[in-house]
Amino acid sequence: MPLSIFGFRAMWSPTLIGVLVFFTVLYFLVTTKWRKDFKYSEPLKKGEAVSFVFAMVMLYVIIGSPIDLMAHIMFTMHMVQMAFLLLFIPIFFIIGIPNWLWKSTINLPFIKPAFHFLTKPMIAIFNFVLLFSFYHLPAVLDYIKLDETLHGIYTFVLFMSALFMYWPLLNTVEGEPRMKDLNKFFYIIANAILITPACALIIFSSTAFYATYTNGEMWMKSMALCVPSSTLQGLSLSGPELFTNMSPVEDQQLGGVIMKIIQEIIFACILGRVFIMWYRNDQKNADQMTEEALKERQRLYANQYH
């Protein structure tokens, strides 16, 4: 059955387009026209602008396009949505916001204590893993997906926890605590390990957990989060089986596998970047030491013959 039966509004979320355009315009006003009002301001870099715009476009693709609608129909697409929303997009938000804007925001009195606490590596990683794992408990997910306000709040909290989780890895703000390159390796590996049990329970279960993806009545209620009630009332639908050939168990297992694969790919890319940065810094330090040793040898040689 085609997704077009749910209508343009459900498939393309025009309201979200307006919201994201507003924040994108605000971003460029703050980082260009209004930046002189900030203490630490610097000219906006091309890479920062590209990263932020890319993050906004991806945010729309993940939660505003038909992917969001499919995420309410199939658990597989829900996990694809979660993987990109929590593990991919936050990277570009952090990179896209200039360091001076981060510094100005972080140093606000009512933000600084909470931000520094929530971005401590151990706090950040456990906070993210616990929130993600708790969200995917069957009773919790089914309950949240039946309440639009609660679903929006929890999704926002999850996204913020992902930003805090990535901060120790990506932070380059002057004066802010930075994690050593070697510790970043262990941090990424620990993250991958700690999130595995939640994915494993989903992958290796022989029964379908989630009523909002198996029970026709609850599925219809959860669809109300992205489809206008007036549209739903005019449709005769029995459940998600009308849109997929997979059984609920297969759908659930595939979702867990895809989540884990995407996570491993993203973390592998980050590990590669960390290794390259570590190697470059190590080579730079070695070159500096060699240069200093040569200068010291030249100084001793000059003193010997004078």
Side-chain angles (χ1 to χ4, degrees):
M1 187 172 290
L3 294 178
S4 57
I5 64 170
F6 293 107
F8 177 83
R9 179 180 167 190
M11 290 183 63
W12 298 106
S13 306
T15 302
L16 181 62
I17 295 177
V19 172
L20 295 181
V21 168
F22 169 79
F23 280 108
T24 302
V25 171
L26 181 63
Y27 167 84
F28 281 104
L29 285 174
V30 171
T31 55
T32 56
K33 187 176 181 180
W34 298 340
R35 70 178 178 84
K36 293 181 180 179
D37 297 332
F38 292 83
K39 183 177 180 181
Y40 310 102
S41 66
E42 296 177 0
L44 179 65
K45 299 175 183 176
K46 182 179 179 180
E48 294 168 342
V50 170
S51 293
F52 185 85
V53 171
F54 178 74
M56 297 300 277
V57 171
M58 284 300 300
L59 190 61
Y60 173 73
V61 170
I62 292 301
I63 65 173
S65 74
I67 289 177
D68 184 57
L69 181 59
M70 286 297 296
H72 286 82
I73 296 174
M74 297 172 59
F75 185 77
T76 295
M77 293 306 298
H78 163 77
M79 293 304 272
V80 170
Q81 184 184 53
M82 288 289 100
F84 280 95
L85 180 65
L86 302 178
L87 300 177
F88 185 70
I89 295 175
I91 296 172
F92 295 92
F93 265 114
I94 293 175
I95 296 173
I97 297 176
N99 281 350
W100 62 264
L101 186 54
W102 274 119
K103 189 171 185 178
S104 299
T105 304
I106 293 169
N107 286 333
L108 292 173
F110 57 92
I111 290 180
K112 189 173 183 177
F115 187 88
H116 283 169
F117 174 76
L118 292 171
T119 54
K120 288 181 178 180
M122 294 299 291
I123 299 295
I125 193 171
F126 278 105
N127 185 44
F128 172 73
V129 170
L130 287 174
L131 284 170
F132 177 84
S133 301
F134 179 75
Y135 180 56
H136 287 95
L137 292 174
V140 175
L141 182 64
D142 286 338
Y143 184 79
I144 290 176
K145 279 179 66 64
L146 297 179
D147 188 299
E148 184 175 5
T149 302
L150 186 59
H151 182 265
I153 292 173
Y154 201 96
T155 301
F156 176 75
V157 171
L158 257 179
F159 183 78
M160 292 303 298
S161 73
L163 283 174
F164 296 147
M165 181 270 292
Y166 272 124
W167 183 258
L169 291 172
L170 304 174
N171 163 41
T172 58
V173 178
E174 184 180 354
E176 290 298 309
R178 298 188 188 183
M179 187 182 293
K180 294 181 179 179
D181 290 333
L182 182 61
N183 291 341
K184 290 181 179 180
F185 280 96
F186 294 115
Y187 185 82
I188 296 169
I189 293 170
N191 201 332
I193 292 173
L194 288 172
I195 206 172
T196 297
C199 293
L201 287 174
I202 293 170
I203 295 169
F204 296 108
S205 173
S206 58
T207 59
F209 289 148
Y210 305 102
T212 46
Y213 289 100
T214 57
N215 181 285
E217 183 179 352
M218 291 190 68
W219 176 76
M220 283 291 287
K221 290 181 179 179
S222 72
M223 288 295 292
L225 270 66
C226 61
V227 182
S229 57
S230 58
T231 302
L232 281 178
Q233 290 172 3
L235 300 174
S236 297
L237 301 174
S238 58
E241 68 276 0
L242 296 174
F243 301 89
T244 176
N245 294 323
M246 289 189 294
S247 69
V249 173
E250 292 171 338
D251 179 34
Q252 178 177 293
Q253 291 173 340
L254 180 60
V257 170
I258 289 177
M259 175 69 184
K260 193 60 184 171
I261 290 174
I262 294 175
Q263 180 218 34
E264 295 296 340
I265 292 173
I266 293 173
F267 283 2
C269 292
I270 297 173
L271 274 174
R273 179 180 181 275
V274 169
F275 177 79
I276 291 172
M277 295 300 294
W278 170 79
Y279 178 78
R280 287 176 178 174
N281 290 335
D282 188 62
Q283 287 295 109
K284 184 178 179 181
N285 292 335
D287 291 342
Q288 289 178 345
M289 291 178 65
T290 302
E291 185 178 349
E292 290 175 0
L294 287 173
K295 288 181 178 179
E296 180 64 18
R297 182 179 297 179
Q298 290 173 352
R299 186 183 64 81
L300 291 173
Y301 180 82
N303 291 338
Q304 183 177 357
Y305 290 96
H306 289 81

mmCIF file with all atom_site columns, all heavy atoms in Angstrom, residues 81-94:
data_model
loop_
_atom_site.group_PDB
_atom_site.id
_atom_site.type_symbol
_atom_site.label_atom_id
_atom_site.label_alt_id
_atom_site.label_comp_id
_atom_site.label_asym_id
_atom_site.label_entity_id
_atom_site.label_seq_id
_atom_site.pdbx_PDB_ins_code
_atom_site.Cartn_x
_atom_site.Cartn_y
_atom_site.Cartn_z
_atom_site.occupancy
_atom_site.B_iso_or_equiv
_atom_site.pdbx_formal_charge
_atom_site.auth_seq_id
_atom_site.auth_comp_id
_atom_site.auth_asym_id
_atom_site.auth_atom_id
_atom_site.pdbx_PDB_model_num
ATOM 1   N N   . GLN A 1 81 ? 16.192 5.613  11.805 1.00 0.00 ? 81 GLN A N   1
ATOM 2   C CA  . GLN A 1 81 ? 15.981 6.993  12.233 1.00 0.00 ? 81 GLN A CA  1
ATOM 3   C C   . GLN A 1 81 ? 16.786 7.295  13.493 1.00 0.00 ? 81 GLN A C   1
ATOM 4   O O   . GLN A 1 81 ? 17.463 8.325  13.592 1.00 0.00 ? 81 GLN A O   1
ATOM 5   C CB  . GLN A 1 81 ? 14.501 7.227  12.487 1.00 0.00 ? 81 GLN A CB  1
ATOM 6   C CG  . GLN A 1 81 ? 14.143 8.666  12.843 1.00 0.00 ? 81 GLN A CG  1
ATOM 7   C CD  . GLN A 1 81 ? 12.672 8.819  13.168 1.00 0.00 ? 81 GLN A CD  1
ATOM 8   O OE1 . GLN A 1 81 ? 12.125 8.098  14.007 1.00 0.00 ? 81 GLN A OE1 1
ATOM 9   N NE2 . GLN A 1 81 ? 12.016 9.757  12.496 1.00 0.00 ? 81 GLN A NE2 1
ATOM 10  N N   . MET A 1 82 ? 16.740 6.392  14.475 1.00 0.00 ? 82 MET A N   1
ATOM 11  C CA  . MET A 1 82 ? 17.475 6.587  15.723 1.00 0.00 ? 82 MET A CA  1
ATOM 12  C C   . MET A 1 82 ? 18.983 6.635  15.470 1.00 0.00 ? 82 MET A C   1
ATOM 13  O O   . MET A 1 82 ? 19.695 7.461  16.063 1.00 0.00 ? 82 MET A O   1
ATOM 14  C CB  . MET A 1 82 ? 17.159 5.446  16.701 1.00 0.00 ? 82 MET A CB  1
ATOM 15  C CG  . MET A 1 82 ? 15.782 5.482  17.310 1.00 0.00 ? 82 MET A CG  1
ATOM 16  S SD  . MET A 1 82 ? 15.563 6.844  18.525 1.00 0.00 ? 82 MET A SD  1
ATOM 17  C CE  . MET A 1 82 ? 14.701 8.052  17.508 1.00 0.00 ? 82 MET A CE  1
ATOM 18  N N   . ALA A 1 83 ? 19.474 5.757  14.603 1.00 0.00 ? 83 ALA A N   1
ATOM 19  C CA  . ALA A 1 83 ? 20.914 5.697  14.345 1.00 0.00 ? 83 ALA A CA  1
ATOM 20  C C   . ALA A 1 83 ? 21.435 7.018  13.782 1.00 0.00 ? 83 ALA A C   1
ATOM 21  O O   . ALA A 1 83 ? 22.443 7.554  14.248 1.00 0.00 ? 83 ALA A O   1
ATOM 22  C CB  . ALA A 1 83 ? 21.223 4.545  13.387 1.00 0.00 ? 83 ALA A CB  1
ATOM 23  N N   . PHE A 1 84 ? 20.741 7.562  12.790 1.00 0.00 ? 84 PHE A N   1
ATOM 24  C CA  . PHE A 1 84 ? 21.200 8.808  12.176 1.00 0.00 ? 84 PHE A CA  1
ATOM 25  C C   . PHE A 1 84 ? 20.931 10.014 13.080 1.00 0.00 ? 84 PHE A C   1
ATOM 26  O O   . PHE A 1 84 ? 21.757 10.929 13.152 1.00 0.00 ? 84 PHE A O   1
ATOM 27  C CB  . PHE A 1 84 ? 20.525 9.000  10.817 1.00 0.00 ? 84 PHE A CB  1
ATOM 28  C CG  . PHE A 1 84 ? 21.167 8.206  9.724  1.00 0.00 ? 84 PHE A CG  1
ATOM 29  C CD1 . PHE A 1 84 ? 20.684 6.951  9.371  1.00 0.00 ? 84 PHE A CD1 1
ATOM 30  C CD2 . PHE A 1 84 ? 22.278 8.699  9.055  1.00 0.00 ? 84 PHE A CD2 1
ATOM 31  C CE1 . PHE A 1 84 ? 21.282 6.214  8.365  1.00 0.00 ? 84 PHE A CE1 1
ATOM 32  C CE2 . PHE A 1 84 ? 22.888 7.964  8.048  1.00 0.00 ? 84 PHE A CE2 1
ATOM 33  C CZ  . PHE A 1 84 ? 22.392 6.714  7.706  1.00 0.00 ? 84 PHE A CZ  1
ATOM 34  N N   . LEU A 1 85 ? 19.795 10.014 13.762 1.00 0.00 ? 85 LEU A N   1
ATOM 35  C CA  . LEU A 1 85 ? 19.453 11.143 14.626 1.00 0.00 ? 85 LEU A CA  1
ATOM 36  C C   . LEU A 1 85 ? 20.402 11.255 15.809 1.00 0.00 ? 85 LEU A C   1
ATOM 37  O O   . LEU A 1 85 ? 20.790 12.363 16.198 1.00 0.00 ? 85 LEU A O   1
ATOM 38  C CB  . LEU A 1 85 ? 18.015 10.991 15.134 1.00 0.00 ? 85 LEU A CB  1
ATOM 39  C CG  . LEU A 1 85 ? 17.490 12.102 16.053 1.00 0.00 ? 85 LEU A CG  1
ATOM 40  C CD1 . LEU A 1 85 ? 17.408 13.426 15.310 1.00 0.00 ? 85 LEU A CD1 1
ATOM 41  C CD2 . LEU A 1 85 ? 16.121 11.728 16.621 1.00 0.00 ? 85 LEU A CD2 1
ATOM 42  N N   . LEU A 1 86 ? 20.811 10.127 16.382 1.00 0.00 ? 86 LEU A N   1
ATOM 43  C CA  . LEU A 1 86 ? 21.597 10.142 17.612 1.00 0.00 ? 86 LEU A CA  1
ATOM 44  C C   . LEU A 1 86 ? 23.097 9.949  17.393 1.00 0.00 ? 86 LEU A C   1
ATOM 45  O O   . LEU A 1 86 ? 23.892 10.397 18.225 1.00 0.00 ? 86 LEU A O   1
ATOM 46  C CB  . LEU A 1 86 ? 21.091 9.054  18.564 1.00 0.00 ? 86 LEU A CB  1
ATOM 47  C CG  . LEU A 1 86 ? 19.610 9.138  18.952 1.00 0.00 ? 86 LEU A CG  1
ATOM 48  C CD1 . LEU A 1 86 ? 19.237 7.970  19.854 1.00 0.00 ? 86 LEU A CD1 1
ATOM 49  C CD2 . LEU A 1 86 ? 19.284 10.462 19.627 1.00 0.00 ? 86 LEU A CD2 1
ATOM 50  N N   . LEU A 1 87 ? 23.483 9.294  16.314 1.00 0.00 ? 87 LEU A N   1
ATOM 51  C CA  . LEU A 1 87 ? 24.896 8.962  16.135 1.00 0.00 ? 87 LEU A CA  1
ATOM 52  C C   . LEU A 1 87 ? 25.568 9.701  14.985 1.00 0.00 ? 87 LEU A C   1
ATOM 53  O O   . LEU A 1 87 ? 26.795 9.733  14.907 1.00 0.00 ? 87 LEU A O   1
ATOM 54  C CB  . LEU A 1 87 ? 25.051 7.447  15.903 1.00 0.00 ? 87 LEU A CB  1
ATOM 55  C CG  . LEU A 1 87 ? 24.539 6.551  17.035 1.00 0.00 ? 87 LEU A CG  1
ATOM 56  C CD1 . LEU A 1 87 ? 24.682 5.082  16.652 1.00 0.00 ? 87 LEU A CD1 1
ATOM 57  C CD2 . LEU A 1 87 ? 25.264 6.833  18.341 1.00 0.00 ? 87 LEU A CD2 1
ATOM 58  N N   . PHE A 1 88 ? 24.800 10.301 14.090 1.00 0.00 ? 88 PHE A N   1
ATOM 59  C CA  . PHE A 1 88 ? 25.377 10.949 12.908 1.00 0.00 ? 88 PHE A CA  1
ATOM 60  C C   . PHE A 1 88 ? 25.198 12.463 12.935 1.00 0.00 ? 88 PHE A C   1
ATOM 61  O O   . PHE A 1 88 ? 26.166 13.219 12.863 1.00 0.00 ? 88 PHE A O   1
ATOM 62  C CB  . PHE A 1 88 ? 24.731 10.351 11.648 1.00 0.00 ? 88 PHE A CB  1
ATOM 63  C CG  . PHE A 1 88 ? 25.332 10.842 10.370 1.00 0.00 ? 88 PHE A CG  1
ATOM 64  C CD1 . PHE A 1 88 ? 26.614 10.469 10.000 1.00 0.00 ? 88 PHE A CD1 1
ATOM 65  C CD2 . PHE A 1 88 ? 24.619 11.672 9.515  1.00 0.00 ? 88 PHE A CD2 1
ATOM 66  C CE1 . PHE A 1 88 ? 27.177 10.913 8.803  1.00 0.00 ? 88 PHE A CE1 1
ATOM 67  C CE2 . PHE A 1 88 ? 25.161 12.122 8.325  1.00 0.00 ? 88 PHE A CE2 1
ATOM 68  C CZ  . PHE A 1 88 ? 26.450 11.743 7.971  1.00 0.00 ? 88 PHE A CZ  1
ATOM 69  N N   . ILE A 1 89 ? 23.965 12.909 13.066 1.00 0.00 ? 89 ILE A N   1
ATOM 70  C CA  . ILE A 1 89 ? 23.663 14.343 12.985 1.00 0.00 ? 89 ILE A CA  1
ATOM 71  C C   . ILE A 1 89 ? 24.341 15.167 14.085 1.00 0.00 ? 89 ILE A C   1
ATOM 72  O O   . ILE A 1 89 ? 24.853 16.259 13.796 1.00 0.00 ? 89 ILE A O   1
ATOM 73  C CB  . ILE A 1 89 ? 22.141 14.566 12.984 1.00 0.00 ? 89 ILE A CB  1
ATOM 74  C CG1 . ILE A 1 89 ? 21.520 13.956 11.719 1.00 0.00 ? 89 ILE A CG1 1
ATOM 75  C CG2 . ILE A 1 89 ? 21.798 16.050 13.079 1.00 0.00 ? 89 ILE A CG2 1
ATOM 76  C CD1 . ILE A 1 89 ? 20.006 14.016 11.669 1.00 0.00 ? 89 ILE A CD1 1
ATOM 77  N N   . PRO A 1 90 ? 24.402 14.706 15.347 1.00 0.00 ? 90 PRO A N   1
ATOM 78  C CA  . PRO A 1 90 ? 25.042 15.530 16.389 1.00 0.00 ? 90 PRO A CA  1
ATOM 79  C C   . PRO A 1 90 ? 26.487 15.909 16.080 1.00 0.00 ? 90 PRO A C   1
ATOM 80  O O   . PRO A 1 90 ? 26.941 16.978 16.497 1.00 0.00 ? 90 PRO A O   1
ATOM 81  C CB  . PRO A 1 90 ? 24.968 14.625 17.631 1.00 0.00 ? 90 PRO A CB  1
ATOM 82  C CG  . PRO A 1 90 ? 23.771 13.771 17.398 1.00 0.00 ? 90 PRO A CG  1
ATOM 83  C CD  . PRO A 1 90 ? 23.786 13.496 15.921 1.00 0.00 ? 90 PRO A CD  1
ATOM 84  N N   . ILE A 1 91 ? 27.192 15.059 15.355 1.00 0.00 ? 91 ILE A N   1
ATOM 85  C CA  . ILE A 1 91 ? 28.583 15.356 14.996 1.00 0.00 ? 91 ILE A CA  1
ATOM 86  C C   . ILE A 1 91 ? 28.666 16.671 14.222 1.00 0.00 ? 91 ILE A C   1
ATOM 87  O O   . ILE A 1 91 ? 29.510 17.531 14.504 1.00 0.00 ? 91 ILE A O   1
ATOM 88  C CB  . ILE A 1 91 ? 29.172 14.209 14.156 1.00 0.00 ? 91 ILE A CB  1
ATOM 89  C CG1 . ILE A 1 91 ? 29.238 12.917 14.982 1.00 0.00 ? 91 ILE A CG1 1
ATOM 90  C CG2 . ILE A 1 91 ? 30.556 14.581 13.622 1.00 0.00 ? 91 ILE A CG2 1
ATOM 91  C CD1 . ILE A 1 91 ? 29.631 11.699 14.164 1.00 0.00 ? 91 ILE A CD1 1
ATOM 92  N N   . PHE A 1 92 ? 27.769 16.847 13.264 1.00 0.00 ? 92 PHE A N   1
ATOM 93  C CA  . PHE A 1 92 ? 27.810 18.024 12.395 1.00 0.00 ? 92 PHE A CA  1
ATOM 94  C C   . PHE A 1 92 ? 27.262 19.270 13.092 1.00 0.00 ? 92 PHE A C   1
ATOM 95  O O   . PHE A 1 92 ? 27.648 20.383 12.748 1.00 0.00 ? 92 PHE A O   1
ATOM 96  C CB  . PHE A 1 92 ? 27.066 17.722 11.097 1.00 0.00 ? 92 PHE A CB  1
ATOM 97  C CG  . PHE A 1 92 ? 27.734 16.662 10.277 1.00 0.00 ? 92 PHE A CG  1
ATOM 98  C CD1 . PHE A 1 92 ? 27.382 15.332 10.414 1.00 0.00 ? 92 PHE A CD1 1
ATOM 99  C CD2 . PHE A 1 92 ? 28.757 16.999 9.406  1.00 0.00 ? 92 PHE A CD2 1
ATOM 100 C CE1 . PHE A 1 92 ? 28.018 14.345 9.678  1.00 0.00 ? 92 PHE A CE1 1
ATOM 101 C CE2 . PHE A 1 92 ? 29.405 16.021 8.661  1.00 0.00 ? 92 PHE A CE2 1
ATOM 102 C CZ  . PHE A 1 92 ? 29.031 14.683 8.803  1.00 0.00 ? 92 PHE A CZ  1
ATOM 103 N N   . PHE A 1 93 ? 26.383 19.073 14.070 1.00 0.00 ? 93 PHE A N   1
ATOM 104 C CA  . PHE A 1 93 ? 25.935 20.218 14.866 1.00 0.00 ? 93 PHE A CA  1
ATOM 105 C C   . PHE A 1 93 ? 27.099 20.768 15.693 1.00 0.00 ? 93 PHE A C   1
ATOM 106 O O   . PHE A 1 93 ? 27.308 21.983 15.764 1.00 0.00 ? 93 PHE A O   1
ATOM 107 C CB  . PHE A 1 93 ? 24.790 19.811 15.792 1.00 0.00 ? 93 PHE A CB  1
ATOM 108 C CG  . PHE A 1 93 ? 23.437 20.099 15.223 1.00 0.00 ? 93 PHE A CG  1
ATOM 109 C CD1 . PHE A 1 93 ? 22.573 19.074 14.896 1.00 0.00 ? 93 PHE A CD1 1
ATOM 110 C CD2 . PHE A 1 93 ? 23.007 21.399 15.005 1.00 0.00 ? 93 PHE A CD2 1
ATOM 111 C CE1 . PHE A 1 93 ? 21.321 19.321 14.353 1.00 0.00 ? 93 PHE A CE1 1
ATOM 112 C CE2 . PHE A 1 93 ? 21.765 21.676 14.469 1.00 0.00 ? 93 PHE A CE2 1
ATOM 113 C CZ  . PHE A 1 93 ? 20.915 20.625 14.146 1.00 0.00 ? 93 PHE A CZ  1
ATOM 114 N N   . ILE A 1 94 ? 27.847 19.890 16.324 1.00 0.00 ? 94 ILE A N   1
ATOM 115 C CA  . ILE A 1 94 ? 28.974 20.327 17.152 1.00 0.00 ? 94 ILE A CA  1
ATOM 116 C C   . ILE A 1 94 ? 30.039 21.026 16.308 1.00 0.00 ? 94 ILE A C   1
ATOM 117 O O   . ILE A 1 94 ? 30.554 22.085 16.670 1.00 0.00 ? 94 ILE A O   1
ATOM 118 C CB  . ILE A 1 94 ? 29.583 19.132 17.914 1.00 0.00 ? 94 ILE A CB  1
ATOM 119 C CG1 . ILE A 1 94 ? 28.587 18.604 18.949 1.00 0.00 ? 94 ILE A CG1 1
ATOM 120 C CG2 . ILE A 1 94 ? 30.886 19.538 18.605 1.00 0.00 ? 94 ILE A CG2 1
ATOM 121 C CD1 . ILE A 1 94 ? 29.041 17.353 19.676 1.00 0.00 ? 94 ILE A CD1 1
#
